[in-house]
Amino acid sequence: MRYGQGGGSPRDGRGGQGGSDELYERLKAYEGRAAATAGIGKDLVNEPMIRHWCEAVGDTNPAYAGPGAIAPPTMLQAWTMGGLSGHSDRSGAYDELFALLDGAGYTSVVATDCEQEYLRPLRPGDRITFDAVIESVSKRKTTGLGTGYFVTTRMDVRAAGEPAGTHRFRILKYTPAVVRRGAKPGGPPGMKEGGRSLRPRPVINRDNAGFWRGVAEHKLLIQRCGECETLRFPWLPGCNECGCQEWDTVEASGEGTVFSYVVMHHPPFPAFGASDDAGPYAVALIELAEGVRMVSNVVGVPYDKVRTGMPVRLEFLRTDPELELPVFRGSEG
């Protein structure tokens, strides 16, 4: 299973800058070295965390509640996280690799995607242990964000001593692209004429292309299972409730409320601020009248006036000539 994080995919498989790459040869020497050894999850697999996870993502699968419950498979990484205090089991090799990249000017970082493989259900009471390895370092790549190296770590997770799954996590360590004001069209991705920022492009694939076709027609489409008629969002190839792969769509009314929200202060990104002022801006989990939830921006009210429970109404925002997005206008009343 792969989760896209957006914005970091390489545009080509060449070195991005051509010529020999002595740094890459030094980085490649870290492949196969341990990133973490004999890690131990800070908590046993437990029902409260499972419940919070399911409530946050709106997953009502009965397998995750009651006697004999299991944890949602996608929680695999959650049980290995160190929290704000971090883990003490990270290897020196991992820190050395990142120090090399930082020292060479590749100081920015973005998560690009992760892949998970599930071998055994996780059950309340399981003690989670894990080891991690630096699996690969790519050659230097040029992306829409800048030039850098993709670093992939693989974590092998065990539950009660038994193999439970594998989690691969890929990041891009990069030097941000620098574009002078007044740059002409055809410059680096993410910039438009005059040097102003563009919003990141959504990743459109065969599973969500219908959603974006709806947006182009000013429709917010929700998938509906062809068997049990359960509504689901975001778009998925199959139903979480019954597994059916047949579906159709219903058009959302556009009414909703703010279920939860964050205000983004840092890093500043002019494309998300009014008049290119770089923010702050509000990002909310919107509960639609139909019962599903989606992440979007709240517009029309100051960022510090957004509140949980605030009623919102769908509208479509054209951010540039090539991109239109569903957003939600808040009402302070």
Side-chain angles (χ1 to χ4, degrees):
M1 182 172 292
R2 176 173 291 185
Y3 301 92
Q5 303 284 333
S9 298
R11 292 180 307 177
D12 59 66
R14 298 168 293 138
Q17 296 179 353
S20 62
D21 187 352
E22 295 181 2
L23 178 60
Y24 170 66
E25 297 305 323
R26 296 176 66 188
L27 298 174
K28 190 171 178 61
Y30 284 87
E31 291 184 345
R33 297 182 63 177
T37 304
I40 301 176
K42 289 194 170 182
D43 297 285
L44 300 177
V45 176
N46 63 84
E47 294 177 356
M49 286 179 67
I50 294 172
R51 184 177 69 254
H52 294 325
W53 176 283
C54 291
E55 288 178 354
V57 302
D59 194 335
T60 58
N61 191 318
Y64 307 146
I70 62 173
T74 49
M75 287 188 76
L76 182 68
Q77 184 193 20
W79 310 108
T80 69
M81 291 181 171
L84 294 177
S85 60
H87 276 297
S88 60
D89 44 41
R90 195 167 69 182
S91 74
Y94 191 83
D95 291 334
E96 290 171 13
L97 174 64
F98 274 65
L100 271 176
L101 288 162
D102 289 340
Y106 301 97
T107 54
S108 296
V109 63
V110 64
T112 62
D113 62 275
C114 69
E115 301 172 11
Q116 293 182 342
E117 180 183 2
Y118 311 121
L119 303 175
R120 169 201 187 280
L122 302 182
R123 302 179 177 85
D126 281 341
R127 168 64 71 188
I128 299 300
T129 56
F130 57 90
D131 296 294
V133 64
I134 303 167
E135 188 170 66
S136 66
V137 181
S138 76
K139 293 183 178 180
R140 187 171 52 208
K141 305 286 185 180
T142 298
T143 77
L145 293 175
T147 298
Y149 299 83
F150 288 87
V151 179
T152 303
T153 54
R154 187 191 76 242
M155 179 178 291
D156 296 313
V157 180
R158 298 175 295 277
E162 301 175 353
T166 299
H167 175 82
R168 284 182 172 85
F169 192 69
R170 187 171 296 109
I171 64 167
L172 173 65
K173 282 284 284 178
Y174 67 101
T175 300
V178 177
V179 179
R180 297 187 304 274
R181 281 203 167 269
K184 296 182 179 180
M191 303 299 292
K192 61 183 176 181
E193 187 173 5
R196 297 173 60 194
S197 297
L198 299 181
R199 290 210 183 188
R201 309 290 95 172
V203 176
I204 300 176
N205 54 39
R206 64 182 181 181
D207 292 329
N208 66 14
F211 170 78
W212 290 106
R213 285 195 295 270
V215 169
E217 299 173 0
H218 286 191
K219 297 178 181 179
L220 183 62
L221 299 179
I222 304 169
Q223 280 183 309
R224 178 173 57 190
C225 176
E227 180 68 27
C228 67
E229 298 190 343
T230 298
L231 300 182
R232 64 179 185 261
F233 194 92
W235 282 35
L236 296 169
C239 178
N240 280 332
E241 296 296 321
C242 69
C244 177
Q245 295 185 355
E246 301 297 325
W247 54 269
D248 60 7
T249 63
V250 297
E251 183 178 354
S253 68
E255 302 292 338
T257 56
V258 174
F259 184 81
S260 65
Y261 69 96
V262 296
V263 175
M264 301 298 296
H265 292 269
H266 185 81
F269 193 3
F272 286 90
S275 303
D276 287 350
D277 63 2
Y281 55 93
V283 180
L285 182 62
I286 304 296
E287 185 161 71
L288 299 177
E290 291 74 16
V292 298
R293 299 171 188 161
M294 68 176 292
V295 176
S296 185
N297 289 114
V298 177
V299 301
V301 295
Y303 68 86
D304 56 353
K305 299 297 184 181
V306 177
R307 294 290 182 269
T308 299
M310 171 182 283
V312 292
R313 175 72 187 178
L314 172 70
E315 61 182 52
F316 293 87
L317 174 67
R318 181 164 293 282
T319 64
D320 60 68
E322 299 178 351
L323 182 64
E324 196 164 17
L325 297 170
V327 298
F328 289 85
R329 180 166 294 275
S331 172
E332 293 186 67

